Amino acid sequence: MEENIRKLMGLLKPMKVNIRPHLKTTKSPILAQKLVDAGATGGCVAKLSEAEVMAEAGFDDLLITCEIVGPVKLRRLVELFRNHRKIQIVVDSELGAVAVNEALSSSGIEQPIQVLIDLDVGLHRTGVAPESALALAQQITLLSHLRLIGVQGYEGHLQHVHGRETREAQCRDSMAILTTTASMLRQNGFDIQVVTTGGTGTAEFCATTPGITEVQPGSFIFMDSDYYNAVGGFFSQSLTILSTVISKSGSEHRVTIDAGLKSLPTDSGFSEPKNMPGVTYTPMGDEHGWLSWDDGPDVPLGARVEMIPSHIDPTINLHDFYYAHRKGVIEEIWPVATRGKVQ
Ligand SMILES: Cc1ncc(COP(=O)(O)O)c(C=O)c1O
């Protein structure tokens, strides 16, 4: 993990962009601080509830990358902002911006919150269309409690594109949408200081695109097999889920481990046992999984098997603690502090 952090900083720091890692992966203020100590500038979180926990733990230089919509969340945002003025948010609609403004202006807080326009650069998940960005910027500047500071455009659909050249070419197209929109807003008098984007699969392309000021990679710190298979081994798979062989009933070529769907998500394929070539994993319900092989050594009852997750973020969200080890000795235990914080 430390090597992954060093590699990311070594790669991106010379490119003169801010590195604001996405903490939706680690869900840990301790790891957030380690990233800042290594050179990051603050962090991103996906959700308001993650920001609440991070800020309470003393880490509040945060961009919340999902839109905050609805009266309950807006009340919570106001309370968060009351004590943590560095919080940045994104909006992608006039309705959303007006609601944030109303919540803040009726709170007695005078300072405006820093806002970025979320732009759709091809993912089609959230974000205004580029042609609607100017109108939204004009609407935001009419709102007393919002201060427009930048544009976010996340190209999540490109992170796992196989083949570096293809991924880079598609990323450059998305970045052109983002930087052209930012320039157009500046030409219309808006003070766009932040242009933020990028994940593990694209950060280096984003960072070398003129006009991009900040990148948001998250998964690089641990990786997972799906990412690894797509982008190669520059970052290593530094997190495994430790399981135990709890039964040998059934077949000579199969054992059952105590890791099923509650331990290892399957949305991006099945996990892989570490250093066990020829052995495959199949989930067998909530609590169990099979390890099976055609030829190979016996796996004894009680054996500990390290499983490499196929998709890191939802895997971490299923577990309470990290056990940080070096050469087989556990050095630190870190809570997954924002586990389950998906509101
Ligand atoms: C808005 C945003 N930025 C950055 C990231 C980080 O991407 P990755 O984990 O692929 O590095 C994500 C991940 O989903 C994201 O949603």
Side-chain angles (χ1 to χ4, degrees):
M1 183 201 83
E2 289 172 346
E3 183 63 14
N4 283 347
I5 296 173
R6 268 195 295 275
K7 279 188 171 173
L8 183 94
M9 296 301 166
L11 178 71
L12 298 180
K13 275 277 166 191
M15 297 173 179
K16 306 273 181 254
V17 286
N18 277 349
I19 302 167
R20 185 179 280 282
H22 212 306
L23 307 172
K24 70 189 277 292
T25 305
T26 64
K27 292 189 150 281
S28 157
I30 293 173
L31 286 170
Q33 191 54 51
K34 284 184 190 294
L35 287 161
V36 166
D37 294 345
T41 307
C44 300
V45 288
K47 301 293 180 70
L48 173 68
S49 56
E50 289 178 314
E52 288 168 340
V53 174
M54 291 282 178
E56 182 68 21
F59 193 95
D60 66 358
D61 186 352
L62 290 169
L63 166 63
I64 305 174
T65 61
C66 292
E67 282 72 9
I68 299 170
V69 172
V72 177
K73 286 185 191 162
L74 289 175
R75 274 202 298 278
R76 285 168 65 168
L77 175 65
V78 167
E79 291 320 308
L80 178 67
F81 185 60
R82 198 181 292 285
N83 297 317
H84 303 281
R85 302 297 173 95
K86 286 189 203 149
I87 298 286
Q88 302 171 12
I89 60 168
V90 299
V91 295
D92 74 353
S93 66
E94 181 185 2
L95 214 59
V98 167
V100 174
N101 190 61
E102 277 172 5
L104 281 170
S105 52
S106 58
S107 71
I109 301 173
E110 283 181 9
Q111 187 181 334
I113 194 165
Q114 301 183 92
V115 174
L116 290 86
I117 290 178
D118 186 17
L119 188 73
D120 183 1
V121 294
L123 174 58
H124 307 322
R125 184 175 70 178
T126 60
V128 281
E131 57 275 17
S132 305
L134 180 58
L136 183 55
Q138 285 163 340
Q139 286 149 0
I140 290 171
T141 45
L142 299 176
L143 302 171
S144 57
H145 285 69
L146 268 52
R147 185 161 78 84
L148 181 62
I149 61 159
V151 187
Q152 164 179 275
Y154 177 58
E155 70 299 1
H157 57 306
L158 305 179
Q159 300 304 326
H160 293 243
V161 170
H162 286 237
R164 189 186 158 83
E165 278 173 24
T166 316
R167 196 168 59 257
E168 174 167 3
Q170 292 181 10
C171 179
R172 300 268 179 219
D173 290 345
S174 280
M175 291 307 101
I177 298 171
L178 181 55
T179 52
T180 308
T181 307
S183 303
M184 175 275 293
L185 291 174
R186 283 193 197 104
Q187 279 156 17
N188 281 275
F190 296 97
D191 184 16
I192 301 299
Q193 300 154 22
V194 181
V195 183
T196 184
T197 179
T200 298
T202 59
E204 63 183 298
F205 311 133
C206 304
T208 49
T209 302
I212 300 299
T213 69
E214 185 176 277
V215 288
Q216 316 179 348
S219 300
F220 72 92
I221 188 165
F222 298 128
M223 292 300 278
D224 54 43
S225 49
D226 195 39
Y227 235 133
Y228 197 87
N229 294 338
V231 308
F234 181 69
F235 298 113
S236 46
Q237 293 162 316
S238 62
L239 181 147
T240 56
I241 301 299
L242 188 59
S243 70
T244 304
V245 177
I246 58 165
S247 177
K248 296 193 65 166
S249 69
S251 155
E252 277 178 23
H253 296 283
R254 202 174 68 207
V255 293
T256 299
I257 60 171
D258 61 349
L261 296 168
K262 285 187 190 167
S263 310
L264 297 164
T266 55
D267 60 281
S268 302
F270 294 165
S271 300
E272 296 165 9
K274 186 175 173 179
N275 297 334
M276 295 179 89
V279 180
T280 53
Y281 169 77
T282 316
M284 283 299 292
D286 293 348
E287 320 291 350
H288 302 91
W290 275 346
L291 295 182
S292 335
W293 57 92
D294 291 331
D295 300 304
D298 189 22
V299 183
L301 193 71
R304 311 301 298 279
V305 179
E306 285 186 66
M307 300 297 298
I308 300 173
S310 51
H311 187 181
I312 197 68
D313 302 54
T315 303
I316 290 168
N317 195 47
L318 293 174
H319 297 271
D320 284 331
F321 295 101
Y322 295 96
Y323 298 88
H325 61 95
R326 200 187 302 276
K327 300 195 172 100
V329 178
I330 293 175
E331 291 189 1
E332 291 178 36
I333 298 175
W334 308 316
V336 183
T338 66
R339 174 180 182 192
K341 300 300 179 203
V342 292
Q343 303 83 21

